[in-house]
Amino acid sequence: MKSLILIFMIVFLFTHCKSNNQPECFCTEEFRSITVTVVDSLNNPIDSLDVDIVDEFGRRISPSSKQFPYQSGLYVVIDDSYVNYLSAEPLLIYFTATDSIGRRAYSLFLVNTDECKCHVQKISGPDKIVLK
């Protein structure tokens, strides 16, 4: 009988004790994006630009949507479709937008995700860049 109780206690402890090494994860259902607004020298938003996004290792990034239709000049740098691609360590992303006559707007962004890989996060980078 004592061995049965001991076995029961061991099984109970293994199934009900959490490891302290893993964070508790509670992710929201929202889909987040890191964006940038591209404007001309008069601060007017510019649509229909050709966008090129690569990380520091030369890997191409293609967000689910390149540009938000509800806000003129707003482009997606990276979105939650890349959370498994990211880690808690910062990743450098190069964003370049080009118009039909060759003018460019470009910037660097540092991004990462949380330990639970719930959402992308911007560490640094501008909210607006100018096409020159």
Side-chain angles (χ1 to χ4, degrees):
M1 181 70 171
K2 288 183 182 181
S3 61
L4 183 60
I5 292 173
L6 182 62
I7 291 172
F8 177 74
M9 287 177 56
I10 292 172
V11 169
F12 180 81
L13 288 174
F14 275 114
T15 58
H16 289 85
C17 290
K18 290 191 318 186
S19 169
N20 290 336
N21 296 338
Q22 297 180 3
E24 283 192 42
C25 295
F26 299 101
C27 296
T28 62
E29 292 294 321
E30 65 189 330
F31 188 79
R32 294 186 189 167
S33 299
I34 295 171
T35 60
V36 64
T37 302
V38 181
V39 297
D40 63 14
S41 59
L42 299 174
N43 207 32
N44 298 314
I46 304 173
D47 291 325
S48 304
L49 296 174
D50 183 32
V51 173
D52 185 44
I53 309 165
V54 295
D55 71 8
E56 62 188 278
F57 304 107
R59 298 176 291 199
R60 189 153 317 282
I61 295 173
S62 299
S64 299
S65 175
K66 284 187 176 184
Q67 185 177 4
F68 283 122
Y70 56 84
Q71 187 171 347
S72 186
L74 187 65
Y75 293 86
V76 178
V77 176
I78 193 166
D79 60 29
D80 276 350
S81 64
Y82 280 85
V83 289
N84 291 324
Y85 178 82
L86 299 171
S87 70
E89 294 297 315
L91 178 70
L92 185 62
I93 294 181
Y94 303 93
F95 176 91
T96 306
T98 310
D99 69 3
S100 60
I101 59 173
R103 295 181 301 170
R104 288 192 172 165
Y106 53 90
S107 189
L108 304 175
F109 293 84
L110 272 178
V111 299
N112 70 351
T113 188
D114 52 56
E115 291 179 357
C116 297
K117 294 191 177 259
C118 293
H119 301 291
V120 294
Q121 302 174 138
K122 180 169 80 170
I123 298 169
S124 68
D127 293 327
K128 186 185 293 187
I129 55 177
V130 179
L131 192 71
K132 299 177 184 178

